[in-house]
């Protein structure tokens, strides 16, 4: 029979990168052009069926504001997976993503599955530097668009496949 796996997942990344939009697309299949900024963090859950398991993601969508930074460990501690999101049209958001990767590598669960999502791929394509960076740092990289619904389900599906089968 299939295994049921519960997996805590955290989204981290700059304000405006599209974290909440990716979650909204994944959980409700919707997109809002004027998505309100997240205050603190928001919780969602959604289940994905992979070959041998049903993975129930318990999703923490964090705010991204620097003033909430000290709260971040509450959300990534004990997380099985993290999605670090940046906006492919915004270099500063990529720099911020790299900082999150460093923090997770230093303080996060060492077995955490980490995905780097270059979001807003409907605006501009291809970030070869991000692909290279992800490879060098043991993450996997996907270009996503919450708006166009590109690679959003695929992102969560890829994470579900990579989770350890305890
Ligand atoms: P967060 O601060 O990381 O949660 O970012 P939001 O999800 O609030 O999104 C910030 C802004 O970017 C909003 O105006 C969204 O509508 C927009 N946005 C999010 N994802 C995409 C996308 O894939 N493409 C485009 N063009 N805009 C997006
Ligand atoms: Mg948000």
């Amino acid at each position: 029979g299939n295994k049921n796996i519960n997996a805590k997942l955290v989204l981290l990344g700059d304000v405006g990168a599209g974290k909440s939009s990716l979650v909204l697309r994944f959980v409700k299949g919707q997109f809002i052009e004027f998505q309100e900024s997240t205050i603190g963090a928001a919780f969602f859950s959604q289940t994905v069926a992979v070959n041998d398991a049903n993975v129930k993601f318990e999703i923490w969508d964090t705010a991204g504001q620097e003033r909430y930074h000290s709260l971040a460990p509450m959300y990534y501690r004990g997380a099985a997976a993290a999605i670090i999101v940046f906006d492919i049209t915004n270099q500063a958001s990529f720099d911020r993503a790299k900082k999150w990767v460093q923090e997770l590598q230093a303080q996060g669960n060492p077995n955490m599955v980490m995905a780097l999502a270059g979001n807003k791929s409907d605006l501009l394509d291809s970030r070869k530097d991000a692909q290279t960076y992800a490879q060098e740092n043991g993450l996997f990289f996907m270009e996503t668009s919450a708006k166009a619904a590109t690679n959003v389900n695929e992102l969560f599906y890829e994470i579900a496949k990579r989770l350890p089968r305890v």
Side-chain angles (χ1 to χ4, degrees):
N2 273 9
K3 285 188 173 132
N4 291 316
I5 298 172
N6 282 12
K8 180 179 173 184
L9 179 148
V10 63
L11 286 102
L12 298 165
D14 213 355
V15 181
K19 299 177 294 301
S20 300
S21 297
L22 286 169
V23 175
L24 184 66
R25 174 60 79 189
F26 175 56
V27 173
K28 296 193 179 146
Q30 295 171 359
F31 178 77
I32 299 174
E33 200 70 52
F34 300 99
Q35 176 68 39
E36 282 178 35
S37 279
T38 309
I39 310 289
F43 179 79
F44 301 87
S45 84
Q46 177 69 300
T47 302
V48 169
V50 290
N51 302 336
D52 57 335
N54 297 314
V55 176
K56 183 181 178 195
F57 285 114
E58 296 157 354
I59 303 169
W60 285 101
D61 171 25
T62 66
Q65 273 105 338
E66 203 44 51
R67 69 189 137 109
Y68 296 119
H69 193 145
S70 62
L71 299 179
M74 277 200 323
Y75 301 109
Y76 66 67
R77 201 175 292 134
I83 303 175
I84 298 110
V85 184
F86 70 98
D87 171 347
I88 59 165
T89 69
N90 181 332
Q91 179 63 37
S93 84
F94 183 46
D95 296 339
R96 189 78 193 87
K98 293 193 218 172
K99 296 269 187 228
W100 280 118
V101 172
Q102 280 172 6
E103 181 166 337
L104 291 179
Q105 285 171 340
Q107 330 251 16
N109 157 20
N111 304 318
M112 190 186 282
V113 175
M114 278 200 259
L116 180 66
N119 191 43
K120 310 196 186 182
S121 65
D122 55 292
L123 298 179
L124 182 93
D125 57 350
S126 226
R127 286 288 305 239
K128 287 278 184 292
D129 55 342
Q131 175 67 58
T132 306
Y133 172 80
Q135 255 160 21
E136 287 169 359
N137 285 276
L139 311 115
F140 74 94
F141 175 61
M142 278 180 112
E143 287 185 349
T144 60
S145 171
K147 184 171 184 174
T150 308
N151 273 348
V152 180
N153 290 340
E154 289 81 353
L155 173 66
F156 285 88
Y157 187 80
E158 284 300 318
I159 292 170
K161 282 203 309 197
R162 285 169 164 82
L163 291 170
R165 303 287 185 258
V166 186

